[in-house]
Amino acid sequence: MRQSQLLMPTLREAPSEAEAVSHQLLLRAGLVRQLAAGVYTYLPLGRRVLRKLEAIVREEMDKAGGQEVLMPALQPAELWRQSGRYEVYGPELVRLRDRHDREFALGPTHEEVITALMRGETSSYRQLPATLYQIQTKFRDEQRPRYGLLRGREFLMKDAYSFDADWEGLHRSYVAMYDAYHRIFARCGLTFRAVEADAGSIGGEGGTHEFMALADIGEDTIASCTCCDYAANLEKAEYGIATNHKADVVEPTKTKRLHTPGSKTIVQLTESLGLEATAFIKTLIFIADGKPVAILVRGDHEVNDIKVKQALGVVSLSLADQETTERVTGAPTGFAGPVGLTIPVYADIAAAQISSAIVGANEEDYHLVDVQPGVHFTYEASGDYRNAAMGDRCPRCEEGRLQFNRGIEIGHVFKLGTKYSEAMEATFLDAAGKAQPLIMGCYGIGVSRLLSAVIEQHADEQGIVWPASIAPYRVHIVPVSAKDETQMALAFQLAERLEAAGIEWLLDDRDERPGVKFKDADLIGIPLRITVGRQAASGIVEVKRRSEAAAKELSIEEALTMASMLAVEH
Amino acid sequence: MRQSQLLMPTLREAPSEAEAVSHQLLLRAGLVRQLAAGVYTYLPLGRRVLRKLEAIVREEMDKAGGQEVLMPALQPAELWRQSGRYEVYGPELVRLRDRHDREFALGPTHEEVITALMRGETSSYRQLPATLYQIQTKFRDEQRPRYGLLRGREFLMKDAYSFDADWEGLHRSYVAMYDAYHRIFARCGLTFRAVEADAGSIGGEGGTHEFMALADIGEDTIASCTCCDYAANLEKAEYGIATNHKADVVEPTKTKRLHTPGSKTIVQLTESLGLEATAFIKTLIFIADGKPVAILVRGDHEVNDIKVKQALGVVSLSLADQETTERVTGAPTGFAGPVGLTIPVYADIAAAQISSAIVGANEEDYHLVDVQPGVHFTYEASGDYRNAAMGDRCPRCEEGRLQFNRGIEIGHVFKLGTKYSEAMEATFLDAAGKAQPLIMGCYGIGVSRLLSAVIEQHADEQGIVWPASIAPYRVHIVPVSAKDETQMALAFQLAERLEAAGIEWLLDDRDERPGVKFKDADLIGIPLRITVGRQAASGIVEVKRRSEAAAKELSIEEALTMASMLAVEH
C-alpha cells in the first residue's frame, strides 16, 4: 500500500480526553476516531489490526471444534423476559421499539438468542455436544464509557456457547475453550493470566476463569505466582500458609497499656510508634448472620469477606456500625482489641502467629502492648480470613511468591450449567428418552478491546510496537526522499518483491521531510522498517526492527530475508 | 467437517410463511432461522456462504483501490439533522435514546457518518481521491419484511463512499466501482444486469446504476437486450425506433363509425372484434402543467410519463379525471379519439405509423375504423412517448431485441456529488487554496441479500445448486452405510486427501438411510458429491456434480482430480 493513498491521519498530540496510553495511541496513530462517547469508527489501519485479531480468534475457535454462526443484534424483549433478565439488566441494556411498537433489545450478549435457537433445533442427546460461536457487534450502554476501546458502548466480541448432555461433557467443552483462549492471547503477543474468578451470582456448579491482560490501566487486581501459572482475582486469591510456623515459645509476660491519643489506624500507629505494621493485630467487629463477631488480622493484612463467610458458615457478613462496635468493645472504633471481649473471636493464622502483638485496648486512646495470642486472649478458631498479600507463598507451587498486577479483562469462560436452559425450557431427550435441560457454557472475548490491550503492553515513548502477528503491515518501506528517483525505484522494487512473497508492506511515498516520516513510522509501529537512503544506488538499505533501537545496513536480499523471517516467527 | 458434528437442521417441508424459493431453501437447508420478522440467525452453513461472499466483495474492493473501515451502527441523531434526513427518513429509520436521553439512529446507511469523518480528516486536495468501504450490519425497519433475506430489517451490506476533488475524479471512482461490481457478481455466479436507473430525487449531476440479479421474485422490471449488455429499468428503458419505417401510402378513405357497446378497453375491443391490439390507437387525456393534452399510443403500448414530460417540457403531468376527459372529448372515458379534438395531440411514433387504425369516436359506445393519422387528424408532434415493449429493437446495438425480466436489486452505484458535503460543510482546500465541497459517490451491495439472489438463480426441485465459488463446502463425501468399515475408512481417507489439497469437504458420517443422506445432499447443494458405496473395497467411488444428473464411477485418484479441477474453476 502506498502511504499517500492511505487514510492514516496521525496526530502529534494526544487529545486531552484520552487518559489511557492505548486510547492516546489509537487516536494519534490514526487507528480509530470517536463518533460518540464509547462509539468508534475504525480507520483503515485499525480495521486491518481488527481483522487480524478476528482471523486468529476464528482459526482457534474452529480448531477447538467451534462452529461459526451469526446472530442478530436486534433481540425481541420477549426472550429476555423468558430468561428473567429483561428487568434485571438495568440501563446498560439498549432498549427500543420497532414501528409496530414491539419491544427489542440490542444484544449485549446472546445467551437468550442461542438458547431459543437450540431449544428449537436440539431434540436428542445424539446432537450433542455442540459449540457455536460468532464474531459480532455488541451494545452496552455504559454509564461512563472510557479508555477508548477498553470500555465502549458498541464493540466487537467473540461469544461462544457450548451445549452438552452432561457435566463431564461441559467440562470437556470448557477445557477446549480454555485452551483455545491461551493460544489466542499468546498469538496476539499478550502477557496474560487465566484467573480463577469469583462466580458471583451467575455461577452454577461451575467454574469460571477470567483472562486478564496485565496492564496498569486495568480495573482489576490479580494475584499471580512468580514461578508457576497460578493466578486469581484478589477476592479469590489463596496463598500458601506456613503451617509449620509456630509462634516462638516465649515466657508469658504482662501486657502494658500504651497511651495512643487519636491513633485509630495502623498507619497512624506505625508512624507515631515507629514500628512495622506486622507488629499489630487489627480487630474488626462484624455482624455475621445478625450476631457480632471479632475478626483479627495482622496489621498489614486485609480481611477477606468471602473467606470469612465460608469459614464461619454464614450467609450474611458486614462490618458492624459504630454504635454496635462501641457497645461490644466499650470503646470507639479504632481502639477495639481481643483482650476481654465477650463475643466470639476468630484469628487469622498470621495474626495468631505473632508472639507479641500490639492491639486495641477497648478504651479510647489506648492500646495494649506485649499481647500474646492464646495467653492474653483466646479465640474460637484460627484460619485463613484475609486477602493474599504481596510476598505470600504461592498456594500451588513450592518456590513461588505472589505478586500483584492490574489487569484488563480480555476473555471469560464460564460454566453456565442449566441457568438459561431451565428458565427457557430448552431440553433434549437423553438416552433413556427423558427430557433434560441442556447443559451450557459461555465463552467471551472482547475482540476490539484486544486492540487496546495489545497497545497497552506494546508501546514505548514513540508509539506502538506491534507484534508481527497482528501488525497492520509487516514491513514499512521509507524512502528518505520522495524526489530521489533512485530511492523511489528501489523502494518500489522492494515492495514488489515483498508482495510476491506475500508479505504486507506500506511504502511512505509522501513528499515529507525524513523526520516527519520516521516519527509517523515509529508512531504506527510496523515491526520492520526498511529505510531507503543515500546508499540506494549500491543496493544498500537500513533495516530496523521497531522493537529494537539499533539499525543495520543490509543488502536488498538480506533485508528481504529478514522480512520473511519476521513473517515466519508468528 | 463431519456432518454428525454440524448444526445443519434440514427440513422436509418449507414453512408455510416462506413464499420465495430462496426463502424456502434457506430454511429447509438449515442455512438460517428467523428470530423476529426480518431478523435472522445464520447457522453454520449459512455463515460459511456469507463469509465467502464477504471475501469476494473484500477482494474486489481492495483491488479497486478501496480502503476498508468499520463504522458504528449507533449514529447520533445530530448528524442526521445536519444532512436533513432525520425527519425525512420516516419510520424505516430505527431511532432510540441512550441512558442520558440522547437521540441515536441505527444506521441504515452511512453517508452522514463518513461525511462527518472526512470533514474532520480531509484538509487538502492532495489527500484525494479516497474510496472507503465497510462490510457492516445495517438496520431498516421495513413496513413488511419478506422473502427471507431479500427484505430484512437487519442485514449485512457492503457500503463504499468515494471522495474526489472534481467531477472527472468522481467519474473515475464511479467506473472503478462499477467494474468491481461486475467482477463481484460474476464471481458469485449471478446472471445480472447493470441497469440505468432513474436517479429520482437523490441525484446530482450524476449517473446511477442498479445491479439487478434476474429472478422472477424480483420487485423491479428490467428491459435488457438479447445481444448486447444494454439494460434499464422499465421507466427509463429506451428502444430503437425504426425511423425508416413509413406508413404505407394508401388512398385516403372515409372513416366508418362502429357500434362498440360497453367496450372501453383494448382488451374488450380485441376480444369482441377479433383484432390484434396493434390495430388500435389509444387516446389518453393528460393534464400537462395545468392544460389538457391528448397522448396517442398504439393499443399494445403503455404511456411513459417521464418521456412525455421531457418531450413536452412540462414539470407536472397526470391523467385527467373523468370530468375533464368528458368535457374535452364529449364522451365518457374509454371512447376518446383524436379525430375532431381541439386540444393539442401528441402521437407516439408507433401510433403515427399505423396506416389504418381504430380509435375512439368521442361518442359513447362508438369507435371509428379506417382512421389515417395525418389525414383524419393532425398532431402537434410525434415522438417517443411510451414504455419499451417486448420485441422492441435494442437502442444500442444492431441485432438485439428487448426482453423483460424481473430483477432483485443486489447493488447500486450512485454519483452523489455534493449533496452531503454541502449540507454538512465537508470541504477541502483546492490547489488554489479555496475551500470546495468534497465530491462524493456511494456504492452499496446487499451482501446477505446476495445469498438469496444466488439461490433464486441456482436451485432445482431438489434444492440448492451452489456455484463452487461460494459453496459452503466444495465436496460432499457420502458413505452409503455408516456401519460399513471399508466405506467409512475410504471416506475418511478421501477427506484427508482433500484437506491436504486445501479443498473443503463435508463427510456425512451419520447413521442414516442412504435415501435420507442423498436427499439432504441435494438439498444443501454442495457442488461435487462423492458417494462411497459397494465398490469401496476396490477403490471405486461414484462422483456426481450437483448441477448434472449423471454420475460417474471413478477411481479415488480420478475423483480427487475432478475435485481439484472444480476448485480451480472458480
Side-chain angles (χ1 to χ4, degrees), chain B residues 46 59 83 86-87 102 116 123 141 172 182 193 203 220 280 288-289 319 321 398 430 445 464 466 508 517-518 525 563:
Chain B
E59 229 175 277
S83 75
Y86 194 66
E87 307 306 339
R102 281 183 290 246
S123 50
D141 198 357
R172 280 190 299 273
H182 272 88
R193 298 281 181 276
D220 297 277
F280 296 82
D289 280 358
L319 265 178
D321 58 22
E398 291 287 311
D430 67 14
I445 289 181
I464 305 169
W466 288 116
D508 193 347
K517 293 185 181 187
F518 292 140

PDB file of all heavy atoms in Angstrom, chain B residues 46 59 83 86-87 102 116 123 141 172 182 193 203 220 280 288-289 319 321 398 430 445 464 466 508 517-518 525 563:
ATOM      1  N   GLY B  46     -25.000 -21.352   6.497  1.00  0.00           N
ATOM      2  CA  GLY B  46     -25.309 -20.012   6.005  1.00  0.00           C
ATOM      3  C   GLY B  46     -24.163 -19.052   6.275  1.00  0.00           C
ATOM      4  O   GLY B  46     -23.800 -18.233   5.424  1.00  0.00           O
ATOM      5  N   GLU B  59     -12.106  -8.669  -1.551  1.00  0.00           N
ATOM      6  CA  GLU B  59     -11.004  -8.794  -2.502  1.00  0.00           C
ATOM      7  C   GLU B  59     -11.154  -7.808  -3.662  1.00  0.00           C
ATOM      8  O   GLU B  59     -10.201  -7.127  -4.037  1.00  0.00           O
ATOM      9  CB  GLU B  59     -11.028 -10.220  -3.054  1.00  0.00           C
ATOM     10  CG  GLU B  59      -9.694 -10.932  -3.022  1.00  0.00           C
ATOM     11  CD  GLU B  59      -9.858 -12.364  -3.480  1.00  0.00           C
ATOM     12  OE1 GLU B  59     -10.248 -13.184  -2.629  1.00  0.00           O
ATOM     13  OE2 GLU B  59      -9.630 -12.648  -4.666  1.00  0.00           O
ATOM     14  N   SER B  83     -27.641  16.593   7.918  1.00  0.00           N
ATOM     15  CA  SER B  83     -27.851  16.263   6.495  1.00  0.00           C
ATOM     16  C   SER B  83     -29.287  16.525   6.078  1.00  0.00           C
ATOM     17  O   SER B  83     -29.614  16.490   4.894  1.00  0.00           O
ATOM     18  CB  SER B  83     -27.518  14.793   6.245  1.00  0.00           C
ATOM     19  OG  SER B  83     -28.540  13.957   6.755  1.00  0.00           O
ATOM     20  N   TYR B  86     -33.018  13.387   9.070  1.00  0.00           N
ATOM     21  CA  TYR B  86     -33.581  12.790  10.278  1.00  0.00           C
ATOM     22  C   TYR B  86     -35.098  12.771  10.248  1.00  0.00           C
ATOM     23  O   TYR B  86     -35.736  11.785  10.587  1.00  0.00           O
ATOM     24  CB  TYR B  86     -33.088  13.519  11.530  1.00  0.00           C
ATOM     25  CG  TYR B  86     -33.363  12.737  12.801  1.00  0.00           C
ATOM     26  CD1 TYR B  86     -32.721  11.525  13.020  1.00  0.00           C
ATOM     27  CD2 TYR B  86     -34.261  13.203  13.757  1.00  0.00           C
ATOM     28  CE1 TYR B  86     -32.955  10.790  14.169  1.00  0.00           C
ATOM     29  CE2 TYR B  86     -34.500  12.472  14.909  1.00  0.00           C
ATOM     30  CZ  TYR B  86     -33.847  11.269  15.113  1.00  0.00           C
ATOM     31  OH  TYR B  86     -34.094  10.546  16.255  1.00  0.00           O
ATOM     32  N   GLU B  87     -35.689  13.884   9.799  1.00  0.00           N
ATOM     33  CA  GLU B  87     -37.154  13.939   9.764  1.00  0.00           C
ATOM     34  C   GLU B  87     -37.689  13.264   8.500  1.00  0.00           C
ATOM     35  O   GLU B  87     -38.737  12.637   8.511  1.00  0.00           O
ATOM     36  CB  GLU B  87     -37.629  15.393   9.841  1.00  0.00           C
ATOM     37  CG  GLU B  87     -37.049  16.190  11.018  1.00  0.00           C
ATOM     38  CD  GLU B  87     -37.257  15.537  12.383  1.00  0.00           C
ATOM     39  OE1 GLU B  87     -38.173  14.695  12.511  1.00  0.00           O
ATOM     40  OE2 GLU B  87     -36.485  15.840  13.310  1.00  0.00           O
ATOM     41  N   ARG B 102     -30.014  10.923  25.029  1.00  0.00           N
ATOM     42  CA  ARG B 102     -29.558  11.463  23.744  1.00  0.00           C
ATOM     43  C   ARG B 102     -30.095  10.591  22.620  1.00  0.00           C
ATOM     44  O   ARG B 102     -30.140   9.366  22.749  1.00  0.00           O
ATOM     45  CB  ARG B 102     -28.023  11.501  23.705  1.00  0.00           C
ATOM     46  CG  ARG B 102     -27.455  12.679  24.472  1.00  0.00           C
ATOM     47  CD  ARG B 102     -25.947  12.729  24.353  1.00  0.00           C
ATOM     48  NE  ARG B 102     -25.358  11.635  25.099  1.00  0.00           N
ATOM     49  CZ  ARG B 102     -24.588  11.781  26.195  1.00  0.00           C
ATOM     50  NH1 ARG B 102     -24.312  12.981  26.659  1.00  0.00           N
ATOM     51  NH2 ARG B 102     -24.100  10.734  26.815  1.00  0.00           N
ATOM     52  N   ALA B 116     -19.052  13.170   8.001  1.00  0.00           N
ATOM     53  CA  ALA B 116     -18.553  13.824   9.216  1.00  0.00           C
ATOM     54  C   ALA B 116     -17.098  13.436   9.460  1.00  0.00           C
ATOM     55  O   ALA B 116     -16.275  14.262   9.862  1.00  0.00           O
ATOM     56  CB  ALA B 116     -19.416  13.429  10.419  1.00  0.00           C
ATOM     57  N   SER B 123      -8.185  17.841   4.561  1.00  0.00           N
ATOM     58  CA  SER B 123      -7.973  19.281   4.512  1.00  0.00           C
ATOM     59  C   SER B 123      -7.526  19.716   3.117  1.00  0.00           C
ATOM     60  O   SER B 123      -7.860  20.805   2.682  1.00  0.00           O
ATOM     61  CB  SER B 123      -6.936  19.696   5.560  1.00  0.00           C
ATOM     62  OG  SER B 123      -5.792  18.881   5.434  1.00  0.00           O
ATOM     63  N   ASP B 141     -36.183  -0.542   9.389  1.00  0.00           N
ATOM     64  CA  ASP B 141     -37.423  -1.082   9.946  1.00  0.00           C
ATOM     65  C   ASP B 141     -38.492  -1.123   8.853  1.00  0.00           C
ATOM     66  O   ASP B 141     -39.389  -0.282   8.809  1.00  0.00           O
ATOM     67  CB  ASP B 141     -37.865  -0.237  11.146  1.00  0.00           C
ATOM     68  CG  ASP B 141     -38.868  -0.984  12.015  1.00  0.00           C
ATOM     69  OD1 ASP B 141     -39.252  -2.113  11.655  1.00  0.00           O
ATOM     70  OD2 ASP B 141     -39.262  -0.432  13.054  1.00  0.00           O
ATOM     71  N   ARG B 172     -14.091   8.671 -12.470  1.00  0.00           N
ATOM     72  CA  ARG B 172     -13.120   7.570 -12.396  1.00  0.00           C
ATOM     73  C   ARG B 172     -13.418   6.647 -11.205  1.00  0.00           C
ATOM     74  O   ARG B 172     -13.387   5.421 -11.326  1.00  0.00           O
ATOM     75  CB  ARG B 172     -11.694   8.125 -12.275  1.00  0.00           C
ATOM     76  CG  ARG B 172     -11.087   8.571 -13.593  1.00  0.00           C
ATOM     77  CD  ARG B 172      -9.595   8.886 -13.446  1.00  0.00           C
ATOM     78  NE  ARG B 172      -9.343   9.981 -12.499  1.00  0.00           N
ATOM     79  CZ  ARG B 172      -9.339  11.275 -12.835  1.00  0.00           C
ATOM     80  NH1 ARG B 172      -9.566  11.640 -14.082  1.00  0.00           N
ATOM     81  NH2 ARG B 172      -9.097  12.197 -11.920  1.00  0.00           N
ATOM     82  N   HIS B 182     -19.181  -5.632 -11.403  1.00  0.00           N
ATOM     83  CA  HIS B 182     -19.323  -6.669 -12.424  1.00  0.00           C
ATOM     84  C   HIS B 182     -18.518  -7.909 -12.050  1.00  0.00           C
ATOM     85  O   HIS B 182     -18.996  -9.036 -12.166  1.00  0.00           O
ATOM     86  CB  HIS B 182     -18.850  -6.137 -13.792  1.00  0.00           C
ATOM     87  CG  HIS B 182     -19.933  -5.451 -14.557  1.00  0.00           C
ATOM     88  ND1 HIS B 182     -20.196  -4.109 -14.418  1.00  0.00           N
ATOM     89  CD2 HIS B 182     -20.845  -5.917 -15.434  1.00  0.00           C
ATOM     90  CE1 HIS B 182     -21.219  -3.778 -15.196  1.00  0.00           C
ATOM     91  NE2 HIS B 182     -21.633  -4.858 -15.828  1.00  0.00           N
ATOM     92  N   ARG B 193     -27.856  -7.690 -14.531  1.00  0.00           N
ATOM     93  CA  ARG B 193     -27.780  -6.572 -15.454  1.00  0.00           C
ATOM     94  C   ARG B 193     -27.418  -5.309 -14.681  1.00  0.00           C
ATOM     95  O   ARG B 193     -27.947  -5.091 -13.591  1.00  0.00           O
ATOM     96  CB  ARG B 193     -29.125  -6.319 -16.135  1.00  0.00           C
ATOM     97  CG  ARG B 193     -29.637  -7.450 -16.993  1.00  0.00           C
ATOM     98  CD  ARG B 193     -28.953  -7.505 -18.358  1.00  0.00           C
ATOM     99  NE  ARG B 193     -29.487  -8.582 -19.174  1.00  0.00           N
ATOM    100  CZ  ARG B 193     -29.076  -9.850 -19.111  1.00  0.00           C
ATOM    101  NH1 ARG B 193     -28.115 -10.203 -18.267  1.00  0.00           N
ATOM    102  NH2 ARG B 193     -29.615 -10.768 -19.875  1.00  0.00           N
ATOM    103  N   GLY B 203     -30.473  12.302  -7.019  1.00  0.00           N
ATOM    104  CA  GLY B 203     -29.384  12.506  -7.953  1.00  0.00           C
ATOM    105  C   GLY B 203     -28.855  13.918  -8.056  1.00  0.00           C
ATOM    106  O   GLY B 203     -29.615  14.883  -7.964  1.00  0.00           O
ATOM    107  N   ASP B 220     -38.650  -5.458  -9.319  1.00  0.00           N
ATOM    108  CA  ASP B 220     -38.494  -4.465 -10.382  1.00  0.00           C
ATOM    109  C   ASP B 220     -38.547  -5.127 -11.748  1.00  0.00           C
ATOM    110  O   ASP B 220     -38.206  -6.299 -11.891  1.00  0.00           O
ATOM    111  CB  ASP B 220     -37.145  -3.751 -10.233  1.00  0.00           C
ATOM    112  CG  ASP B 220     -37.069  -2.983  -8.927  1.00  0.00           C
ATOM    113  OD1 ASP B 220     -37.568  -1.854  -8.882  1.00  0.00           O
ATOM    114  OD2 ASP B 220     -36.521  -3.537  -7.949  1.00  0.00           O
ATOM    115  N   PHE B 280     -55.064  -0.795 -33.014  1.00  0.00           N
ATOM    116  CA  PHE B 280     -55.745   0.301 -32.313  1.00  0.00           C
ATOM    117  C   PHE B 280     -54.800   1.430 -31.947  1.00  0.00           C
ATOM    118  O   PHE B 280     -53.609   1.223 -31.771  1.00  0.00           O
ATOM    119  CB  PHE B 280     -56.382  -0.231 -31.026  1.00  0.00           C
ATOM    120  CG  PHE B 280     -57.465  -1.248 -31.268  1.00  0.00           C
ATOM    121  CD1 PHE B 280     -57.157  -2.594 -31.505  1.00  0.00           C
ATOM    122  CD2 PHE B 280     -58.808  -0.866 -31.274  1.00  0.00           C
ATOM    123  CE1 PHE B 280     -58.150  -3.527 -31.730  1.00  0.00           C
ATOM    124  CE2 PHE B 280     -59.805  -1.800 -31.493  1.00  0.00           C
ATOM    125  CZ  PHE B 280     -59.477  -3.141 -31.725  1.00  0.00           C
ATOM    126  N   ALA B 288     -51.123  18.504 -18.471  1.00  0.00           N
ATOM    127  CA  ALA B 288     -49.703  18.834 -18.500  1.00  0.00           C
ATOM    128  C   ALA B 288     -49.547  20.293 -18.078  1.00  0.00           C
ATOM    129  O   ALA B 288     -50.018  21.188 -18.781  1.00  0.00           O
ATOM    130  CB  ALA B 288     -49.135  18.612 -19.895  1.00  0.00           C
ATOM    131  N   ASP B 289     -48.892  20.503 -16.925  1.00  0.00           N
ATOM    132  CA  ASP B 289     -48.748  21.863 -16.381  1.00  0.00           C
ATOM    133  C   ASP B 289     -50.094  22.599 -16.405  1.00  0.00           C
ATOM    134  O   ASP B 289     -50.166  23.780 -16.785  1.00  0.00           O
ATOM    135  CB  ASP B 289     -47.694  22.664 -17.152  1.00  0.00           C
ATOM    136  CG  ASP B 289     -46.274  22.305 -16.688  1.00  0.00           C
ATOM    137  OD1 ASP B 289     -46.145  21.467 -15.752  1.00  0.00           O
ATOM    138  OD2 ASP B 289     -45.311  22.846 -17.246  1.00  0.00           O
ATOM    139  N   LEU B 319     -52.827  11.964 -15.364  1.00  0.00           N
ATOM    140  CA  LEU B 319     -54.010  11.612 -16.141  1.00  0.00           C
ATOM    141  C   LEU B 319     -55.165  12.533 -15.762  1.00  0.00           C
ATOM    142  O   LEU B 319     -55.335  12.870 -14.587  1.00  0.00           O
ATOM    143  CB  LEU B 319     -54.407  10.156 -15.856  1.00  0.00           C
ATOM    144  CG  LEU B 319     -53.884   9.100 -16.833  1.00  0.00           C
ATOM    145  CD1 LEU B 319     -54.333   7.715 -16.386  1.00  0.00           C
ATOM    146  CD2 LEU B 319     -54.373   9.366 -18.259  1.00  0.00           C
ATOM    147  N   ASP B 321     -58.925  13.710 -14.893  1.00  0.00           N
ATOM    148  CA  ASP B 321     -60.018  12.995 -14.236  1.00  0.00           C
ATOM    149  C   ASP B 321     -61.165  12.817 -15.230  1.00  0.00           C
ATOM    150  O   ASP B 321     -61.159  13.371 -16.348  1.00  0.00           O
ATOM    151  CB  ASP B 321     -60.466  13.728 -12.957  1.00  0.00           C
ATOM    152  CG  ASP B 321     -60.902  15.151 -13.255  1.00  0.00           C
ATOM    153  OD1 ASP B 321     -61.255  15.443 -14.414  1.00  0.00           O
ATOM    154  OD2 ASP B 321     -60.857  15.985 -12.321  1.00  0.00           O
ATOM    155  N   GLU B 398     -27.240  -3.323 -33.139  1.00  0.00           N
ATOM    156  CA  GLU B 398     -27.970  -3.501 -34.391  1.00  0.00           C
ATOM    157  C   GLU B 398     -28.970  -4.652 -34.314  1.00  0.00           C
ATOM    158  O   GLU B 398     -30.099  -4.556 -34.745  1.00  0.00           O
ATOM    159  CB  GLU B 398     -26.970  -3.804 -35.523  1.00  0.00           C
ATOM    160  CG  GLU B 398     -26.085  -2.644 -35.898  1.00  0.00           C
ATOM    161  CD  GLU B 398     -26.856  -1.564 -36.665  1.00  0.00           C
ATOM    162  OE1 GLU B 398     -27.562  -1.901 -37.624  1.00  0.00           O
ATOM    163  OE2 GLU B 398     -26.747  -0.369 -36.286  1.00  0.00           O
ATOM    164  N   ASP B 430      -8.675  23.417  -2.409  1.00  0.00           N
ATOM    165  CA  ASP B 430      -8.187  23.029  -3.732  1.00  0.00           C
ATOM    166  C   ASP B 430      -6.788  23.615  -3.979  1.00  0.00           C
ATOM    167  O   ASP B 430      -6.217  24.254  -3.095  1.00  0.00           O
ATOM    168  CB  ASP B 430      -9.195  23.416  -4.826  1.00  0.00           C
ATOM    169  CG  ASP B 430      -9.335  24.931  -4.979  1.00  0.00           C
ATOM    170  OD1 ASP B 430      -8.472  25.671  -4.429  1.00  0.00           O
ATOM    171  OD2 ASP B 430     -10.291  25.373  -5.637  1.00  0.00           O
ATOM    172  N   ILE B 445     -23.735  -2.788  -1.793  1.00  0.00           N
ATOM    173  CA  ILE B 445     -24.048  -4.167  -2.179  1.00  0.00           C
ATOM    174  C   ILE B 445     -24.745  -4.827  -0.991  1.00  0.00           C
ATOM    175  O   ILE B 445     -24.259  -4.738   0.143  1.00  0.00           O
ATOM    176  CB  ILE B 445     -22.770  -4.981  -2.522  1.00  0.00           C
ATOM    177  CG1 ILE B 445     -22.163  -4.501  -3.839  1.00  0.00           C
ATOM    178  CG2 ILE B 445     -23.090  -6.476  -2.618  1.00  0.00           C
ATOM    179  CD1 ILE B 445     -20.916  -5.262  -4.254  1.00  0.00           C
ATOM    180  N   ILE B 464     -30.765 -26.573  -3.417  1.00  0.00           N
ATOM    181  CA  ILE B 464     -29.818 -25.552  -3.887  1.00  0.00           C
ATOM    182  C   ILE B 464     -28.757 -26.204  -4.771  1.00  0.00           C
ATOM    183  O   ILE B 464     -28.421 -27.366  -4.590  1.00  0.00           O
ATOM    184  CB  ILE B 464     -29.145 -24.867  -2.675  1.00  0.00           C
ATOM    185  CG1 ILE B 464     -30.207 -24.296  -1.722  1.00  0.00           C
ATOM    186  CG2 ILE B 464     -28.183 -23.770  -3.122  1.00  0.00           C
ATOM    187  CD1 ILE B 464     -29.640 -23.836  -0.379  1.00  0.00           C
ATOM    188  N   TRP B 466     -25.230 -24.845  -5.469  1.00  0.00           N
ATOM    189  CA  TRP B 466     -24.277 -23.745  -5.254  1.00  0.00           C
ATOM    190  C   TRP B 466     -23.239 -23.635  -6.364  1.00  0.00           C
ATOM    191  O   TRP B 466     -22.670 -24.648  -6.774  1.00  0.00           O
ATOM    192  CB  TRP B 466     -23.504 -23.948  -3.943  1.00  0.00           C
ATOM    193  CG  TRP B 466     -24.296 -23.728  -2.710  1.00  0.00           C
ATOM    194  CD1 TRP B 466     -24.604 -24.663  -1.765  1.00  0.00           C
ATOM    195  CD2 TRP B 466     -24.873 -22.494  -2.255  1.00  0.00           C
ATOM    196  NE1 TRP B 466     -25.352 -24.090  -0.760  1.00  0.00           N
ATOM    197  CE2 TRP B 466     -25.526 -22.770  -1.032  1.00  0.00           C
ATOM    198  CE3 TRP B 466     -24.916 -21.200  -2.762  1.00  0.00           C
ATOM    199  CZ2 TRP B 466     -26.205 -21.796  -0.305  1.00  0.00           C
ATOM    200  CZ3 TRP B 466     -25.587 -20.228  -2.047  1.00  0.00           C
ATOM    201  CH2 TRP B 466     -26.222 -20.527  -0.836  1.00  0.00           C
ATOM    202  N   ASP B 508     -20.653 -37.086   5.349  1.00  0.00           N
ATOM    203  CA  ASP B 508     -21.895 -37.491   6.014  1.00  0.00           C
ATOM    204  C   ASP B 508     -21.678 -38.806   6.768  1.00  0.00           C
ATOM    205  O   ASP B 508     -21.894 -39.895   6.236  1.00  0.00           O
ATOM    206  CB  ASP B 508     -23.026 -37.630   4.989  1.00  0.00           C
ATOM    207  CG  ASP B 508     -24.379 -37.723   5.680  1.00  0.00           C
ATOM    208  OD1 ASP B 508     -24.400 -37.935   6.910  1.00  0.00           O
ATOM    209  OD2 ASP B 508     -25.405 -37.575   4.995  1.00  0.00           O
ATOM    210  N   LYS B 517     -29.696 -39.428   3.319  1.00  0.00           N
ATOM    211  CA  LYS B 517     -28.430 -38.727   3.069  1.00  0.00           C
ATOM    212  C   LYS B 517     -28.433 -38.038   1.701  1.00  0.00           C
ATOM    213  O   LYS B 517     -27.999 -36.895   1.567  1.00  0.00           O
ATOM    214  CB  LYS B 517     -27.275 -39.722   3.134  1.00  0.00           C
ATOM    215  CG  LYS B 517     -27.021 -40.299   4.516  1.00  0.00           C
ATOM    216  CD  LYS B 517     -25.771 -41.172   4.456  1.00  0.00           C
ATOM    217  CE  LYS B 517     -25.478 -41.787   5.802  1.00  0.00           C
ATOM    218  NZ  LYS B 517     -24.185 -42.489   5.787  1.00  0.00           N
ATOM    219  N   PHE B 518     -28.904 -38.762   0.693  1.00  0.00           N
ATOM    220  CA  PHE B 518     -28.898 -38.184  -0.662  1.00  0.00           C
ATOM    221  C   PHE B 518     -29.863 -36.997  -0.761  1.00  0.00           C
ATOM    222  O   PHE B 518     -29.566 -35.988  -1.399  1.00  0.00           O
ATOM    223  CB  PHE B 518     -29.251 -39.253  -1.705  1.00  0.00           C
ATOM    224  CG  PHE B 518     -28.193 -40.309  -1.843  1.00  0.00           C
ATOM    225  CD1 PHE B 518     -28.533 -41.649  -2.014  1.00  0.00           C
ATOM    226  CD2 PHE B 518     -26.836 -39.982  -1.803  1.00  0.00           C
ATOM    227  CE1 PHE B 518     -27.550 -42.634  -2.135  1.00  0.00           C
ATOM    228  CE2 PHE B 518     -25.851 -40.951  -1.916  1.00  0.00           C
ATOM    229  CZ  PHE B 518     -26.207 -42.286  -2.082  1.00  0.00           C
ATOM    230  N   GLY B 525     -26.864 -28.810  -1.534  1.00  0.00           N
ATOM    231  CA  GLY B 525     -26.318 -28.394  -2.829  1.00  0.00           C
ATOM    232  C   GLY B 525     -24.828 -28.202  -2.969  1.00  0.00           C
ATOM    233  O   GLY B 525     -24.382 -27.343  -3.734  1.00  0.00           O
ATOM    234  N   ALA B 563     -12.224 -33.127  -8.181  1.00  0.00           N
ATOM    235  CA  ALA B 563     -12.478 -32.181  -7.086  1.00  0.00           C
ATOM    236  C   ALA B 563     -11.542 -30.987  -7.180  1.00  0.00           C
ATOM    237  O   ALA B 563     -11.952 -29.843  -6.961  1.00  0.00           O
ATOM    238  CB  ALA B 563     -12.324 -32.880  -5.741  1.00  0.00           C
TER     239      ALA B 563
END
